[in-house]
Amino acid sequence: MSRTSPVPFLLRLPTLLTLLTLLAAALAGALLTAPAAGAAELRGEEDVLVAADEVVDDDLYAAGGTVVVDGTVRGDLLVAGGTVTINGTVEGDLMAAAQTVVIEGTVGDDARVAAQVLLLGEEARVADDLVTAGYSLQARPGAEIGGDVLLGAYQALLSGTVDGDVTAGAAALALAGTVGGDVQADVGSADEVGAAWAPTTEVVVPRVDPGLTLTDAARLGGDLSYRSGTEASIAPGAEIAGEVSYEQVAVDEARPAEPTGPLALLLDGLRLFVTLFVVGLLVLWLLPRTAAGASGVLRTRPWLSLGWGALTIAGTVVAVIAVLVLAVLLGIGLGLLTLGGLAAAVVVTGLVLDLVLVVGLVLAVSLLAPVVVGYTAGGLLLRDPAPPRFGKRVLVLALGLLIYVLLRAVPFLGPVVALLVALFGLGALVVWLWDAARRSRAHRRGRGTGRPPGEPSPTAGSTTARPPWQAGGSAPGPGADAPR
């Protein structure tokens, strides 16, 4: 037996992600195939303005906090920024990635836009197709799109004129204008709860009711085909020239509802504990020296750990931005020199490096840092910071992680605990790895000069080759370097 159900928004994510991928590929392709120097104009600053009496005879590549085109661009416009406003004319394609994109003028060919909010005003003209992905799309009465519309968004309100077809994936879709072709949509249900979040932009974002809605002003020249948990709300005055096809989405009645209240809190805490405990077991088994060393650093040098944790996070963010900017600038330069293949390799390498940095930081903060802090806290509570037996170390880890999970569940206190644990744990790992690298270099230098590996250099400081836990006067125990 089955029952109707709203289409979960997650089911529409593939459409949205596909559109975002296509838009990113289009932007990257345009960047990497840029013509030789002198065949395109580049502008990059906080505020970019093409004045009303200004004419750009070539393609325009622009990036800035605010980009405003009041004049005319004879070629394509490739733009990235916080707010992009087109009041004038773009005779070629528009390719934009921004928080807010407002089109009040004319786009002579296709428009491909990735933005939180896309607004087409009363005077907006897009001569060919519109492809967009984001949170909200609004085409006001009077806006004209000469080709097809392909969109993936949370909500869309089409009150203007679309000469071609409309293909949409959205939680909320309202048709209040004219569509010359067919409409094919995968939409939410009328009984879905509206989005609790809406972006903060310089334009007013309309509220579109979940599901598919056709107002009295809707005029469809072709067929209407849609999938949803409930039937569309079609006003009596709406006109549909073709057939209406409705596919009802159903789910298994036996599927249990998501738990709420204390039960949900308990399950979330259990999942977190099990995840961290499994990761901690792997660390104690495969990297016992790392666990003991980082725990020793946290016990003996907690404030140094806190500082290095904050610096590591900040430094990683700066490095990610720097790598991205450098890759884009090199890609632009090589593209202008018609070295498209090398430009693509540089951009891809930069993106891969950024991905490695971000994933590494996320894993260290969310998994390794709580394990280090939990292992340290459990040892202090049991008055055995460096237990020699593997079984005792597992008990220490479990006790520390249990306390961490309980504190995470406390309202308002939980986020603060998570932040402090991330900073202290990450910093302890960084300090221990740095000390380990210094000891390794000193060991290699000792071998290179003929001294026994364990003999310190005469010029080295007494703390250079000393493990960090020795600062506190306690050793990790004979079982800390190898699993039992």
Side-chain angles (χ1 to χ4, degrees):
M1 182 177 180
S2 62
R3 61 179 174 84
T4 60
S5 170
V7 180
F9 186 59
L10 288 177
L11 294 180
R12 291 183 292 277
L13 281 181
T15 301
L16 178 58
L17 293 176
T18 299
L19 286 173
L20 286 172
T21 302
L22 291 174
L23 287 171
L27 294 175
L31 173 65
L32 298 177
T33 58
E41 183 173 339
L42 281 72
R43 300 186 185 183
E45 51 193 82
E46 181 61 28
D47 297 314
V48 177
L49 172 64
V50 178
D53 57 351
E54 184 179 359
V55 176
V56 179
D57 291 324
D58 301 315
D59 297 336
L60 175 61
Y61 298 80
T66 301
V67 180
V68 178
V69 178
D70 291 332
T72 300
V73 177
R74 299 290 189 191
D76 299 333
L77 173 61
L78 176 64
V79 58
T83 301
V84 176
T85 304
I86 310 297
N87 296 319
T89 300
V90 177
E91 296 184 355
D93 293 335
L94 168 65
M95 289 166 282
Q99 181 184 19
T100 304
V101 176
V102 178
I103 301 177
E104 295 282 2
T106 299
V107 177
D109 205 342
D110 299 325
R112 303 179 182 91
V113 179
Q116 284 185 350
V117 176
L118 171 59
L119 170 63
L120 277 69
E122 291 84 353
E123 303 296 326
R125 302 290 183 271
V126 177
D128 206 343
D129 298 339
L130 170 64
V131 181
T132 182
Y135 177 84
S136 177
L137 163 65
Q138 181 185 8
R140 290 177 176 170
E144 296 181 3
I145 301 171
D148 300 330
V149 172
L150 177 62
L151 71 95
Y154 176 80
Q155 67 175 32
L157 173 58
L158 301 179
S159 302
T161 300
V162 179
D163 291 343
D165 301 330
V166 173
T167 303
L173 175 62
L175 303 177
T178 300
V179 178
D182 300 330
V183 174
Q184 183 177 358
D186 185 356
V187 296
S189 172
D191 53 5
E192 283 189 12
V193 178
W197 171 86
T200 301
T201 66
E202 297 180 0
V203 300
V204 178
V205 178
R207 184 186 183 280
V208 182
D209 293 330
L212 176 61
T213 303
L214 276 72
T215 69
D216 287 320
R219 301 290 183 267
L220 273 62
D223 299 331
L224 171 62
S225 175
Y226 68 99
R227 296 175 65 250
S228 180
T230 56
E231 292 190 43
S233 173
I234 302 178
E239 297 181 3
I240 304 175
E243 298 180 353
V244 177
S245 174
Y246 167 49
E247 179 182 349
Q248 189 176 51
V249 178
V251 297
D252 188 358
E253 181 70 31
R255 192 175 81 176
E258 290 292 331
T260 58
L263 179 59
L265 190 63
L266 176 62
L267 291 177
D268 290 341
L270 181 60
R271 294 189 193 102
L272 179 61
F273 176 80
V274 171
T275 301
L276 295 177
F277 186 65
V278 170
V279 173
L281 287 178
L282 293 175
V283 171
L284 292 179
W285 180 35
L286 301 175
L287 303 170
R289 291 186 179 183
T290 301
S295 177
V297 169
L298 186 57
R299 290 195 311 273
T300 59
R301 291 180 279 180
W303 302 119
L304 181 65
S305 300
L306 176 63
W308 273 105
L311 286 175
T312 301
I313 294 177
T316 304
V317 173
V318 171
V320 168
I321 296 175
V323 169
L324 181 61
V325 171
L326 181 61
V328 170
L329 291 178
L330 287 176
I332 292 176
L334 294 172
L336 293 176
L337 295 174
T338 66
L339 300 175
L342 183 57
V346 169
V347 173
V348 171
T349 301
L351 293 177
V352 170
L353 181 57
D354 272 351
L355 180 62
V356 170
L357 290 173
V358 172
V359 172
L361 179 64
V362 170
L363 291 178
V365 167
S366 61
L367 297 178
L368 295 181
V371 167
V372 170
V373 176
Y375 184 67
T376 305
L380 294 175
L381 289 173
L382 294 180
R383 299 182 182 277
D384 192 356
R389 292 180 301 168
F390 184 76
K392 185 67 174 292
R393 280 178 267 158
V394 172
L395 178 61
V396 165
L397 173 67
L399 177 60
L401 291 180
L402 178 61
I403 295 174
Y404 170 69
V405 170
L406 292 176
L407 292 176
R408 279 286 303 268
V410 178
F412 303 106
L413 179 63
V416 177
V417 171
L419 176 61
L420 292 177
V421 166
L423 294 177
F424 277 105
L426 180 63
L429 280 170
V430 170
V431 172
W432 184 83
L433 291 174
W434 177 259
D435 285 348
R438 294 175 59 192
R439 292 194 300 273
S440 177
R441 289 195 299 269
H443 182 77
R444 289 195 299 268
R445 286 197 300 268
R447 288 191 302 179
T449 56
R451 289 189 297 272
E455 181 180 341
S457 170
T459 59
S462 61
T463 61
T464 300
R466 186 170 60 179
W469 54 75
Q470 289 184 2
S474 61
D481 293 341
R484 294 180 182 268

